[in-house]
Amino acid sequence: MADDKIITPQKFIEELRRFQKGSVTRRHFLGVTGLGVATAVLGGAMPGLKPRKAYAALSGTVNLTTWPNYHNQENLDAFTKKTGVTINMNVFGSNEEMLAKLQAGSTGWDVFVPTNYTISTYKGLDLIEPLDLKLLPNYDVASQDQRFTSEGTIDGTVYAVPKNWGTTGFVINTKNVTQNPTSWKEFWDLTKGPLSGRVMVHDYQLTTIGNALKYFGYSFNSNDEKQLAEAEKLMLEAKPHLFAINSDYQPSMRNGDAWVSVAWTGDATQLHRDLPEIQYVLGKEGGEIWTDYFAIPKGAANKDAAYALIDWLLTPEINAKEVQAHGYPSTDARTNKLVSKEMLENPILYPAKDLLTNLEFGAAATLTNPLRAEIMARFKSA
Amino acid sequence: MTQTIVPDISFRAVSKRYGEVRAVDRVDLDLPKGSFVSLLGPSGCGKTTCLRMMAGFEQPSEGEVFIRGDNVTGVPAYKRPVNMVFQHYALFPHLNVADNVSYGLRQRSPKPPREAVAKAVDEALAMVRLQGYGQRRTWELSGGQQQRVALARALINRPAVLLLDEPLAALDRKLRHDMQIELQNLQRNVGITFLLVTHDQEEALSMSDRVCIMKDGRLVQTGTPRELYDEPVNGYVADFVGKSNFFAGIAGNARSGLIDVALADGMKATGRASRSTVSPEAGEAVLVSVRPEQIRLAAAETDLPNQVAFRTQAKVLNRIFLGEQTEYLVAHEKLGEFMVRSPRQGNQALAFEIGDRVAVGWPPDAALILAKD
Amino acid sequence: MPQLAPISRSKTVTALLVAPAGLFFFFLLVLPLIVVVIYSFGARADAGGYAPAFTLDNYANLPARGQAFFNTLTLAPLGTLLTALFAYPLAYFLAVKASPKSRTLLLVLVIVPFWTSQLLRYYAWIMILGSKGIPSWLAYLGISDLRIINTPWAVLIGAVYGFLPLMVLPIYVSLEKLDKRLLEASADLGANSWRSFLQVTLPLSLPGVATGSMLVFILLMGEYILPQLLGGGKVFFIGNALVDLFLQSRNWPFGAAVSTALVAIMFVTIVIYMRFVLSRGDVRRAALV
Ligand SMILES: Nc1ncnc2c1ncn2[C@@H]1O[C@H](COP(=O)(O)OP(=O)(O)OP(=O)(O)O)[C@@H](O)[C@H]1O
Ligand SMILES: [Mg+2]
């Protein structure tokens, strides 16, 4: 019993290793990247302080801005070996941070990975390049699941090509949680009741407010003031019972501090792979479904390398290895053929059809609604 | 009822060792009530260590310390009724003059009432002639003024003994002289026993009732300045206290208080033993000590006064005019060079020229026959 | 030209000496601050960011972040105080009690944690304060169900841990140069060691405490990683509010107004504090001697 309760030195080191490898979720890096963005915001405000661009091309480096745990290192190494272009990977905490940094200007990025609902905003602000599909021979529109790819194309122009899709549900540690919740209603009720002090929600208004709205059966994307007020009330009631408000839920789930957390597909896959008692649940009222895309920011210095990298990662054989590593389902039928059967049958990646039908894609307005931002701020500071 | 006078501080066979170093070696010492005592000796001889054992900053390795008859060996500094004036004053920089001076009173329990403290501070400052300086910052004061604040800060406590560790060393010559007089007056007025550490023999001789001479951790001689000058126990003291000429020899027989000494090359001299110590045995190696002012000079041996028993010839090497006196350095072919001080004789200010051959000599009671150390 | 007056030459030299620092301050402090103040009167652009305007709305809206100001203004001084309470005995031990030989080693050990990433160290604390860390040991002592991680207490512990060296070093310096003879003088005048400490050591080391407190207080006021990691996102500082405003909701003008208010509060606090410290001229002087 004692061994079970107290963290052993080995475990401690393992946790640190995980962190060092970058095998952590988005919020982990808020600290580091947040600082970088803050500087960029000020720098962007003062033209004289903008860093020199274009040296990326000269040094044969491609700057990839993505999310943590989102690639197979073998694939990236193989790309470098093949092309001689080194990859400088930069991981981010949230879509807003990506947007904030691009808005501030002078990112030096060549490739980045925006989520579906942000692409129209980038286009509106003229921050991304239209893509020349001739330069992406391995991308095949026909083999894509159209459900997940429409938002990359605006007014007939392709601005982004899909990387993978995913859902937002919650993970539960069945060793400690016996209630077997299947809905967001149960999620919030358990939080306020028997699981007080054991539940985590994202530090992300889109999912946290969205899933609170689902408690009442409202749309995940609702911007209705009355409905939002109800969601806020629920969140404020739950706050004292939460273990944490943090999008970096893997460490707390792994060490047993947290028993339940709002989670994305890939994190759930990874947690379940290491700790089979951790299960993934999609609330039956619905919730979020999403697609992450590859895109090239306006003014990318090493465009040739950017196209080459995207094309490489979308090559089915390569993409299949990606999926195997990050645990998010691909949008490409050719890739799915190459993914292991075990994965294809994993309900975390491929939930039952009836569960998927209730899910909603996040909307651009959901992300940028100032009222939602204020509700989130009030929730966190309460 | 007989009343024995208890000394303010006594050392009984006190030693202090720092590893191999014996900083203080079996010292016995009594400071009589109300006296002004100096502890004199060269650098490193253990003066400060003695003082620190009295104050309680150090504890003796052996022996016992008494304050007014109470054995205080092992008692910490803050419980001892003695106070110290530090060489660099050690005034509290964050307190003004009045708060520095009242510091000792404020440590007492029960705390004395405010008005009483204020009154005592005024008195103490008046005593050191610093009336009205109470609100000043200590660093605004001159060196001499800081010195006096340190004195007031110690004296306000009415200690059994005031310990002063080279308090005047940092002052310039003129100020030092003024402070010497002031210290003496102060001591007379307050009647507290003062123990002054110094390596300045003039200061020790001019200020104190008694002087203790130390060497290598040991107390060599204690006495009044006059005793030390006239009756030193050995050559070390004679040399340390005033100037003297020394001639090495072998003691002969003593007769009626006088001792014959065989000097170099068969020369003979006669002198007396110091009253502070036992006469040297016959055959013992001794020093003949003669103070420069007791040596007589004359143009010819016949001109020397009658009582001058030892007579010889020497040559003037150098002379320094000192006003009332003239100091000659003369060379004797066997005894070597020595110093003579002659008083001015009439108008004849400078009786002898460099290179003159002169007659020199001294009466037997001017020559002290001393053990070498 | 050859007979350049000495005075103007020395002015040139002064100007050259001051120039690097002056330019540094102007471009990296004054200019950004001016930009921030200008932004604080602007409006949020539709897609986020800044749209030129002149409005006081952002300032009128400050009470919306009142709780964040309150959290910061209570936890930052409390954290500073706790850090000082922990740092002082340590600095005292290093400066007064430790043997000169071990002193250097111990000083290095105080600084060593700074060599690893701050993030990594806070992650270690997440585990130490988590339910399998200290609380599980306390459970053996009968104190069960104690939650430390993700509470203000965890943030305070992290603050003490993270900022200890910044507090220890200035206090150590002020204690180390304290004239030991002053303590002998105090003992000589009848004060036992505790009273000597209170009346001599402590007042004379206050400049070190003041310097350390200032450093720690300023850093804590702007802290956001610490509350995010050890407070589990439930302890919300102004720093966190700013991160959200600039990086999440991209409401730059409101963020600028909050920043301006934070800078103003810090400025006023520091001026009052410095006034108080400098007014104790005796202590300041003592620190220089
Ligand atoms: N704390 C100490 N540790 C080791 N040795 C010491 C210590 N204090 C003094 N000594 C040694 O003891 C001897 C006597 O020192 P002390 O300070 O008493 O001399 P002093 O007569 O006061 O000399 P000065 O006139 O130079 O002040 C010296 O050899 C000194 O080196
Ligand atoms: Mg000394």
Side-chain angles (χ1 to χ4, degrees), chain A residues 208-223:
Chain A
T208 298
I209 297 177
N211 292 326
L213 285 163
K214 291 317 289 183
Y215 180 95
F216 304 100
Y218 301 141
S219 163
F220 181 87
N221 286 310
S222 172
N223 284 323

Side-chain angles (χ1 to χ4, degrees), chain B residues 44 47-49 87 165-166 197:
Chain B
K47 307 180 295 287
T48 298
T49 308
Q87 186 169 349
D165 191 0
E166 310 208 26
V197 159

Side-chain angles (χ1 to χ4, degrees), chain B residues 1 16 41 50 74 80 96 118 130 135 234 259 328 331 361:
Chain B
M1 215 169 81
K16 178 73 189 179
C50 281
R80 296 193 183 192
N96 65 21
L130 280 178
Q135 297 313 308
N234 57 24
I259 303 169
Y328 295 95

Side-chain angles (χ1 to χ4, degrees), chain B residues 91 95-101 121-150 152:
Chain B
L91 298 179
L95 301 179
N96 65 21
V97 169
D99 290 342
N100 260 282
V101 172
V121 168
D122 286 344
E123 281 169 14
L125 286 176
M127 194 162 61
V128 296
R129 301 193 290 114
L130 280 178
Q131 296 97 322
Y133 278 69
Q135 297 313 308
R136 292 281 201 97
R137 297 283 158 194
T138 54
W139 65 78
E140 297 168 355
L141 304 179
S142 71
Q145 288 169 332
Q146 292 186 23
Q147 175 73 77
R148 281 184 267 166
V149 174

Side-chain angles (χ1 to χ4, degrees), chain C residues 77-95 110 125 129 134 153-172 175 197 202 209 212-213 216 220:
Chain C
L78 197 59
T80 308
L81 182 72
L82 284 175
T83 309
L85 287 179
F86 277 89
Y88 200 98
L90 182 57
Y92 185 84
F93 176 81
L94 286 173
V110 169
W125 275 101
L129 299 178
I134 290 174
W153 294 111
V155 174
L156 288 175
I157 291 171
V160 171
Y161 167 79
F163 296 116
L164 200 68
L166 285 181
M167 188 72 94
V168 167
L169 293 181
I171 299 178
Y172 168 81
L175 281 171
F197 172 79
L202 190 60
V209 178
S213 302
V216 172
L220 264 179

